[in-house]
Amino acid sequence: MAQSLSSFADLIGSADGSAVHLEMRDAYAVDGEADGFAAWKAGHRLDPSDRRSWWRPWLDLVQEVTGKGVTMRRARIVFEPVSEYIRFEHSGTFTNVAAGEEVRWLPRRNASDIALPGNDFWLFDGRIVQFNVFDGDGRWVHTDQTEDPATVRLCVSAFEAVWERGIPHEKYAL
């Protein structure tokens, strides 16, 4: 069972200054995206001018958090050419940006010399790390949280290195 949006909302809502997310997989199989991914594969694309058709609880949360002054940044490390799933993710990322997230993309070939943790993570205020653990098929398994200083330092360093090299969403062409 996935972490609920309400429990995550409590965690992200406790951030005072920053919430950053590093994604390193080229495919995810999360429950909430299956229908959207299938529709995208069938040719459906979100219409940026029809906000009501794509706005969802996650985007409300992003807008609420960024509205109180918290900086939200997301970085994605991807193989190129990108997977079908990454093309799907990229096509909908304008929604994250519209809600207040900053998003960058880093081709994996440019990350070879960056020390990265073994799992995707969220980092809150540079002090709490939440790892998102997925199985080999991209299904969410569980989350692990830590405030261990060495782990936090690794995640801060990894994220900032990826962010520095990353290409802003609006400039990353597939």
Side-chain angles (χ1 to χ4, degrees):
M1 171 181 242
Q3 179 181 27
S4 73
L5 182 58
S6 62
S7 64
F8 186 76
D10 291 342
L11 182 60
I12 202 168
S14 69
D16 294 323
S18 66
V20 302
H21 188 198
L22 182 61
E23 297 178 356
M24 299 180 284
R25 297 184 57 87
D26 286 293
Y28 294 87
V30 295
D31 294 337
E33 290 182 341
D35 291 343
F37 188 32
W40 180 87
K41 288 194 286 188
H44 177 266
R45 298 298 182 264
L46 299 176
D47 179 356
S49 66
D50 184 11
R51 184 176 176 136
R52 287 191 302 158
S53 71
W54 47 262
W55 199 262
R56 54 193 187 275
W58 166 250
L59 300 173
D60 285 334
L61 179 59
V62 171
Q63 191 171 48
E64 177 185 327
V65 170
T66 58
K68 71 175 195 171
V70 174
T71 299
M72 287 187 70
R73 297 183 294 161
R74 179 186 305 257
R76 294 175 170 145
I77 300 174
V78 296
F79 280 108
E80 290 181 324
V82 299
S83 69
E84 183 176 43
Y85 180 86
I86 293 300
R87 287 196 314 274
F88 159 69
E89 240 185 8
H90 186 272
S91 76
T93 295
F94 76 88
T95 66
N96 300 70
V97 174
E101 269 190 89
E102 298 173 56
V103 180
R104 291 190 181 180
W105 302 82
L106 181 65
R108 193 169 305 274
R109 70 179 180 277
N110 297 333
S112 296
D113 62 344
I114 300 173
L116 299 166
N119 293 291
D120 291 7
F121 65 85
W122 278 92
L123 175 65
F124 303 98
D125 293 326
R127 62 180 179 80
I128 299 171
V129 176
Q130 177 175 292
F131 289 107
N132 295 317
V133 180
F134 297 88
D135 69 14
D137 292 322
R139 290 182 301 259
W140 180 87
V141 177
H142 67 272
T143 57
D144 294 323
Q145 289 181 13
T146 184
E147 294 182 52
D148 172 67
T151 304
V152 168
R153 280 192 303 276
L154 170 64
C155 292
V156 167
S157 174
F159 185 86
E160 293 304 330
V162 170
W163 189 258
E164 181 179 312
R165 295 179 189 183
I167 301 164
H169 174 69
E170 61 278 2
K171 293 180 180 178
Y172 186 65
L174 301 184

